[in-house]
Amino acid sequence: MLSKEIRRAFLNYFKSQGHTVVPSSPVIPHDDPTLMFINAGMNQFKDVFLGKSKRDYTRATTTQKCIRAGGKHNDLENVGHTSRHCTFFEMLGNFSFGDYFKKEAIGYAWDVVGNVFGFDPERVWASVYKDDDEAFALWEKYLPSDRIVRFGEKENFWAMGDTGPCGPCSELLFDRGEKYGPARNPKEDLSGERYLEFWNLVFMQYSRSADGKLDPLPKQSIDTGSGLERVVSLRMGVDSVFQTDILRSLIERVEEISGVGYDETNTAKAPAFHVIADHIRSLSFSIADGVQPSNTDRGYVLRKILRRAVRYGRQIGLQKPFLAGVLPRLVTLMGDDFPEIKTAESRIAEILTLEEEAFLRTLQRGGQLLGQVIERSHKTSQVITGEDAFKLKDTYGFPVEEIVLIAKDENLSVDLPRFDVLEEEAKEKSRKAHKTAAQQFDQNFFSDFTKTHKACHFEGYLHTALDAALIGIVSGGRFVDEVQEGQEAILLLDKTPFYAEMGGQVGDTGTIAKGGNLFQVYDCTSPFPGVIAHLGKMGSGTLRKGDHIHVAVDAKRRGEIQNNHTATHLLHWALQKVLGAHIKQAGSLVEDKRLRFDFSHHKAVSQAELRQIEDLVNEKIRTDLPVQVYELSYDEAQKRNDIKQFFGEKYGDRVRVIDIEFSKELCGGTHTSRVGTIGLFKISKESSIAAGVRRIEAVTGVYAEQLVQQEEDLIQESAALLKATPTTVLEKLQQLVDENKALTTELKMLRKGQLKQIVESCLASKETVGSISLIAAEVAVPSEELNSCAEELIQQLKSGVVALGITMGERCQVTVAVSPDLVKKNVNAQALIKEIAPLIQGGGGGKQNLAQAGGKDPRGIGKALDKIRHLLEDVSVV
């Protein structure tokens, strides 16, 4: 397969040039709140480019899984209708972290173009940034100057996002010939169809901050990216990426499942094949990497992708869940080079099917809503309102283009300006929610401080108390020289045993003192790199900048936190043992009195599974194994499959390993020295916090013992209430349940008898209005039985109208039922209800054969029933 050949040849080439082959990172960005999904090969190296972390190599090469379906880089709506757009693609790349720069990057690229990609060098062009004379001169060694073009910032200055690494770039383009246009060079090729860009070489020189400022990076670096699908399409000489080997094979599988043949020239049906072939890749790799379809954040984007695939599937007759049927072909095509989709295949298939089934049910409901919207619009302004259009798109997944087409078929228009306003409001709300994670303490506030003071040294792994120097005081939002009794402040020290809140572990509490001057610390955070902030309130006395102080953590509380943190590691291990290797941490909270662990899983954890998890954790606690702590280089840790790495953690060039023999995790938190100190582990609750994300809450030690005692007390109190013993509580409860079931059955029989009498009484009161049989009566039945009573009377009547009213205290309800034959003659229950609802000071609706209204005036029931009689005298009015 050509894609596999080029992928492997590319990596092997750069490996031979001294590059380390680095595996693709997951499609979930690692600790980068500015990105929805990984969208470029350099994302996993962002902190290296910024100088925030180091690797034990300075040259790297990857084939990165990328998704562009959210945020700044969003190709979703174009996919299927163009020859090049995909939500999922592979990005081949080579990188230099302060090693080589433009000369070598351009030389390597030219070598790969001919010897790896196999392109005709006479058809290759290069573009450079308008002011980059150096790059222009370097390309002249390989290309005539008339095949090198200059472009402005829009085309040849690359940035990953609103913030982060950026720099001038040079693109390689392939001339596909006159068939794709008469343009004589890329500048004239406004459509970009003839001179197709296939490789971008970014000369990484700057980092763009949130205010748009460009700061030089610590070292000049190289970031290149070449879309594999684009390269393969050029190598194969095909017009579309959907004709390349992987995507075409997936399309063949869709043909087999649907029974519909693929014709790339069929603009009505071809997009459906394109969409499904592309979207199955985004869906499968995302789920394999831990994303679950949901209504928020990445999960919401994934759900939109899936629902889009389902909608397009319906265009080629796929009315039942089908995506899981395409999955095995994808695993066969890509599973050797990306084994994660092999490992997660059954889970991916299960989640795809569950989501499809749920959406198909939603489509049925959406179809009803669409019909109501059309009917309402015909009766009013002949316009589908922006609110209705937005609801159809946002809630039911109908694309606005589809809504517009449907409206045209119905001789309606759509209020697109109002729709656009609502769409933008929703996007802005989403952006604000997404960027919340990127908000920090005002960096400028501590920036100057860190320029004149060394970073605070954390010594809390070894000590809970020590002597230190007070080097800064913040109170009232500014730096001050002292803090007096009763004042709240932030104290900054040269060293500290206090753990700053991080990685889910809460900050330490304790005291900072000088003699009788005592500052109570109630929280500890790290608002800026190198700064550990001790938040608290001055009790007695005064502390001044420069004081030598004694710092003491609340050791008892710290010990409980350490026990709970180690317990979360045991819980994570047990979850993977019981539920599967797909379990990934999605968040955690480690406090002194409890712990909380969020994880990716697509269904509730059963009671039996929870008991098994609990038993495994307690079994390991009883072994009293030592908790070992040591450091490794980050690169070495990455190569070890036995060490877990968590999403959301920030890793430097050296990482800390918490090793409990059977469980090894990278973790910067504090831990107990032996697992036996944890004591008892008890799960208190399991719940869902979002689609595809579960939460377990648990307690340990004395708090676990208290929970057990509370449960025992509950059993004892229940036994006393039931006049039973603790061992016979279940038996007694079962007796009560059985008795209740028998009484409920008896009550239903009595009600059935009463209903039968009411039906007989109503039938006896049948009257004829014009040519229509009518039963109009106020009856004494529960509101939940009113509709079934009306339907029973219609069945008995065969042909006719039934109107029943009931009084419920100060409220009332009226139901109208119409037999099928009269519905065909335009006797409409919904229309009748709308006419009579005002008489009971209410409103209602329903269907043509059955409709209901609720009101606030029971005295109007008689008038409402009389109105029915009047309306039926002339059937034409209804």
Side-chain angles (χ1 to χ4, degrees):
M1 180 173 285
L2 187 58
S3 291
K4 183 182 291 187
E5 291 173 9
I6 292 178
R7 180 191 300 128
R8 294 181 176 181
F10 183 92
L11 297 177
N12 287 334
Y13 169 83
F14 280 103
K15 183 178 181 180
S16 72
Q17 300 297 326
H19 292 63
T20 297
V21 178
V22 180
S24 170
S25 70
V27 295
I28 308 170
H30 178 74
D31 197 29
D32 188 346
T34 65
L35 285 178
M36 184 72 75
F37 290 99
I38 290 292
N39 59 29
M42 64 78 62
N43 290 161
Q44 66 169 309
F45 304 117
K46 181 178 178 180
D47 279 358
V48 184
F49 284 122
L50 289 171
K52 292 182 178 180
S53 65
K54 296 179 181 178
R55 306 286 174 91
D56 61 2
Y57 50 81
T58 57
R59 300 179 174 204
T61 184
T62 66
T63 177
Q64 174 64 50
K65 302 174 293 187
C66 297
I67 292 179
R68 289 185 177 172
K72 175 182 176 183
H73 300 287
N74 184 0
D75 290 341
L76 182 58
E77 295 304 323
N78 293 320
V79 174
H81 300 281
T82 71
S83 62
R84 300 197 296 270
H85 283 100
C86 296
T87 60
F88 178 93
F89 61 97
E90 285 184 64
M91 183 75 84
L92 304 171
N94 60 289
F95 308 89
S96 164
F97 312 117
D99 187 324
Y100 60 83
F101 201 48
K102 294 181 183 180
K103 178 181 177 182
E104 294 84 353
I106 289 173
Y108 290 145
W110 186 253
D111 199 5
V112 168
V113 165
N115 297 320
V116 175
F117 294 164
F119 290 161
D120 178 358
E122 297 299 317
R123 300 175 69 180
V124 176
W125 289 62
S127 70
V128 298
Y129 184 52
K130 60 182 180 180
D131 300 327
D132 197 347
D133 296 331
E134 180 186 4
F136 194 100
L138 288 168
W139 276 120
E140 285 184 306
K141 296 179 182 179
Y142 308 102
L143 291 167
S145 57
D146 61 358
R147 293 224 308 274
I148 308 169
V149 292
R150 295 178 187 264
F151 281 107
E153 183 170 343
K154 181 180 178 182
E155 295 84 2
N156 277 68
F157 195 92
W158 188 91
M160 184 183 67
D162 295 334
T163 62
C166 58
C169 64
S170 177
E171 292 185 342
L172 286 169
L173 306 101
F174 188 85
D175 181 1
R176 298 203 290 170
E178 294 181 357
K179 173 184 175 183
Y180 298 93
R184 294 168 296 177
N185 59 61
K187 283 199 169 225
E188 295 179 3
D189 186 23
L190 300 181
S191 68
E193 287 295 326
R194 174 168 177 173
Y195 298 91
L196 202 61
E197 181 264 320
F198 65 88
W199 202 349
N200 191 7
L201 315 180
V202 179
F203 308 129
M204 199 71 66
Q205 295 175 246
Y206 309 106
S207 175
R208 176 177 282 149
S209 60
D211 60 4
K213 183 182 177 184
L214 294 178
D215 297 312
L217 288 170
K219 294 180 180 178
Q220 292 183 327
S221 300
I222 291 294
D223 155 34
T224 84
S226 177
L228 177 61
E229 293 79 5
R230 180 79 57 86
V231 169
V232 174
S233 71
L234 292 172
R235 174 74 175 272
M236 293 177 66
V238 295
D239 292 340
S240 166
V241 293
F242 295 103
Q243 295 170 33
T244 57
D245 47 10
I246 292 177
L247 289 168
R248 188 63 184 88
S249 182
L250 292 171
I251 288 172
E252 288 173 3
R253 179 59 185 147
V254 177
E255 288 181 289
E256 294 169 5
I257 293 172
S258 66
V260 176
Y262 169 68
D263 177 1
E264 63 193 64
T265 64
N266 186 334
T267 57
K269 291 187 175 180
F273 290 94
H274 300 163
V275 165
I276 296 167
D278 169 79
H279 288 9
I280 188 65
R281 298 208 297 172
S282 285
L283 292 165
S284 300
F285 280 100
S286 296
I287 293 170
D289 284 344
V291 185
Q292 302 273 2
S294 69
N295 288 328
T296 58
D297 204 34
R298 298 178 184 90
Y300 177 63
V301 176
L302 202 63
R303 180 164 281 169
K304 285 205 296 185
I305 292 172
L306 184 142
R307 292 182 168 190
R308 190 169 187 262
V310 171
R311 288 200 312 271
Y312 276 88
R314 289 163 73 89
Q315 294 180 11
I316 54 174
L318 294 169
Q319 302 294 328
K320 295 180 180 179
F322 62 87
L323 289 170
V326 185
L327 177 62
R329 179 67 60 86
L330 176 63
V331 173
T332 299
L333 293 167
M334 300 186 70
D336 289 341
D337 288 342
F338 299 97
E340 59 270 27
I341 59 170
K342 272 187 178 179
T343 303
E345 182 175 1
S346 60
R347 183 169 58 90
I348 296 169
E350 182 178 2
I351 291 172
L352 290 175
T353 301
L354 288 172
E355 280 289 318
E356 283 185 89
E357 290 172 345
F359 184 49
L360 289 172
R361 290 192 295 270
T362 299
L363 277 179
Q364 291 175 349
R365 295 195 300 271
Q368 293 173 359
L369 174 65
L370 181 61
Q372 293 170 8
V373 168
I374 291 171
E375 182 180 351
R376 183 165 60 246
S377 301
H378 275 306
K379 291 181 178 178
T380 54
S381 59
Q382 304 297 307
V383 176
I384 294 178
T385 67
E387 284 77 8
D388 282 339
F390 180 74
K391 185 175 182 180
L392 285 166
K393 180 180 186 296
D394 191 57
T395 306
Y396 296 105
F398 288 99
V400 67
E401 298 83 2
E402 189 172 328
I403 298 170
V404 170
L405 288 173
I406 292 170
K408 286 181 179 178
D409 291 341
E410 295 287 338
N411 295 315
L412 298 170
S413 60
V414 180
D415 185 355
L416 291 176
R418 177 59 181 160
F419 171 87
D420 291 338
V421 169
L422 294 170
E423 180 88 329
E424 186 56 37
E425 287 175 357
K427 287 179 179 178
E428 183 61 27
K429 185 178 179 181
S430 176
R431 279 194 291 269
K432 287 179 179 177
H434 185 62
K435 288 188 176 180
T436 298
Q439 294 174 2
Q440 301 176 344
F441 197 99
D442 183 1
Q443 293 203 1
N444 293 328
F445 188 83
F446 287 113
S447 178
D448 291 340
F449 180 83
T450 57
K451 291 175 183 176
T452 56
H453 296 80
K454 291 182 179 179
C456 180
H457 189 253
F458 174 65
E459 299 187 8
Y461 292 137
L462 301 175
H463 309 288
T464 56
L466 51 77
D467 293 328
L470 178 54
I471 60 174
I473 302 172
V474 177
S475 183
R478 61 190 180 91
F479 281 97
V480 296
D481 291 329
E482 65 178 25
V483 56
Q484 298 178 354
E485 185 172 333
Q487 287 184 328
E488 292 190 340
I490 295 172
L491 302 191
L492 307 176
L493 317 180
D494 63 336
K495 57 184 175 180
T496 183
F498 279 76
Y499 182 84
E501 180 179 353
M502 191 178 303
Q505 180 176 328
V506 295
D508 280 330
T509 62
T511 58
I512 296 175
K514 180 184 180 183
N517 303 286
L518 185 67
F519 183 86
Q520 196 71 42
V521 179
Y522 54 71
D523 197 7
C524 184
T525 65
S526 180
F528 190 80
V531 174
I532 296 179
H534 304 75
L535 290 72
K537 187 174 184 179
M538 195 69 204
S540 57
T542 300
L543 287 178
R544 295 178 177 83
K545 180 180 176 182
D547 281 348
H548 290 280
I549 52 178
H550 184 71
V551 188
V553 169
D554 182 336
K556 179 178 179 295
R557 180 176 179 271
R558 163 73 81 80
E560 291 170 340
I561 291 171
Q562 291 181 165
N563 285 339
N564 280 342
H565 202 153
T566 304
T568 63
H569 287 216
L570 300 183
L571 174 58
H572 193 181
W573 166 81
L575 283 165
Q576 291 191 328
K577 284 289 183 183
V578 175
L579 302 181
H582 67 278
I583 295 296
K584 289 183 174 63
Q585 179 176 338
S588 68
L589 175 66
V590 179
E591 298 178 334
D592 53 333
K593 293 181 175 61
R594 64 176 182 135
L595 64 93
R596 191 176 73 203
F597 191 83
D598 303 336
F599 56 98
S600 55
H601 192 54
H602 56 285
K603 59 185 177 182
V605 185
S606 71
Q607 189 60 42
E609 289 169 333
L610 289 172
R611 179 60 56 84
Q612 190 179 354
I613 291 163
E614 202 173 69
D615 288 347
L616 279 174
V617 173
N618 282 312
E619 179 184 315
K620 290 301 182 183
I621 290 172
R622 288 192 294 272
T623 65
D624 195 27
L625 286 167
V627 179
Q628 300 179 62
V629 182
Y630 50 86
E631 288 190 351
L632 296 173
S633 71
Y634 180 56
D635 185 55
E636 184 179 351
Q638 278 191 309
K639 294 174 182 176
R640 288 181 53 176
N641 294 327
D642 61 334
I643 298 178
K644 295 188 186 77
Q645 300 177 39
F646 292 163
F647 170 74
E649 289 288 340
K650 177 71 71 176
Y651 299 121
D653 57 330
R654 300 288 295 174
V655 291
R656 188 167 176 264
V657 182
I658 304 300
D659 187 336
I660 320 174
E661 190 177 284
F662 55 89
S663 167
K664 298 174 177 62
E665 297 185 7
L666 299 187
C667 181
T670 62
H671 287 265
T672 186
S673 58
R674 304 188 71 88
V675 294
T677 64
I678 297 171
L680 179 65
F681 172 86
K682 183 74 177 168
I683 294 174
S684 57
K685 185 180 180 182
E686 191 275 342
S687 61
S688 170
I689 60 168
V693 181
R694 308 298 301 181
R695 169 173 290 172
I696 282 181
E697 298 175 48
V699 287
T700 65
V702 65
Y703 303 106
E705 293 168 8
Q706 290 173 359
L707 180 59
V708 171
Q709 290 166 358
Q710 290 169 8
E711 291 174 348
E712 288 175 348
D713 291 346
L714 181 62
I715 293 172
Q716 290 285 357
E717 292 168 8
S718 299
L721 188 64
L722 294 169
K723 294 182 172 56
T725 64
T727 56
T728 60
V729 164
L730 279 179
E731 181 183 342
K732 188 69 173 179
L733 280 173
Q734 188 60 54
Q735 289 177 5
L736 290 175
V737 169
D738 292 343
E739 288 174 11
N740 184 64
K741 191 180 294 183
L743 288 171
T744 300
T745 302
E746 185 178 339
L747 183 61
K748 284 182 178 178
M749 293 298 293
L750 287 171
R751 284 180 177 173
K752 189 175 182 180
Q754 291 173 346
L755 186 61
K756 184 179 180 182
Q757 291 177 359
I758 291 171
V759 168
E760 290 175 351
S761 174
C762 287
L763 287 169
S765 67
K766 182 183 74 172
E767 55 191 287
T768 301
V769 178
S771 60
I772 297 174
S773 296
L774 170 67
I775 293 175
E778 186 171 358
V779 294
V781 299
S783 61
E784 63 269 18
E785 294 181 5
L786 186 60
N787 283 355
S788 58
C789 183
E791 289 172 337
E792 174 67 21
L793 284 167
I794 281 292
Q795 287 184 6
Q796 298 271 5
L797 276 180
K798 307 296 185 188
S799 175
V801 174
V802 173
L804 303 178
I806 60 170
T807 298
M808 304 172 292
E810 295 182 356
R811 298 191 62 82
C812 61
Q813 185 175 331
V814 176
T815 289
V816 175
V818 178
S819 59
D821 63 312
L822 294 182
V823 169
K824 293 177 181 178
K825 296 178 181 179
N826 295 323
V827 180
N828 188 318
Q830 189 176 19
L832 290 169
I833 276 291
K834 287 184 178 180
E835 290 285 341
I836 67 172
L839 298 174
I840 57 172
Q841 294 184 27
K847 301 177 182 178
Q848 289 180 320
N849 65 318
L850 185 68
Q852 309 84 31
K856 297 182 290 185
D857 185 8
R859 295 171 301 176
I861 291 177
K863 296 177 183 177
L865 298 179
D866 286 340
K867 179 77 170 180
I868 292 285
R869 293 184 179 94
H870 174 70
L871 290 169
L872 292 179
E873 288 175 356
D874 183 359
V875 171
S876 65
V877 300
V878 293

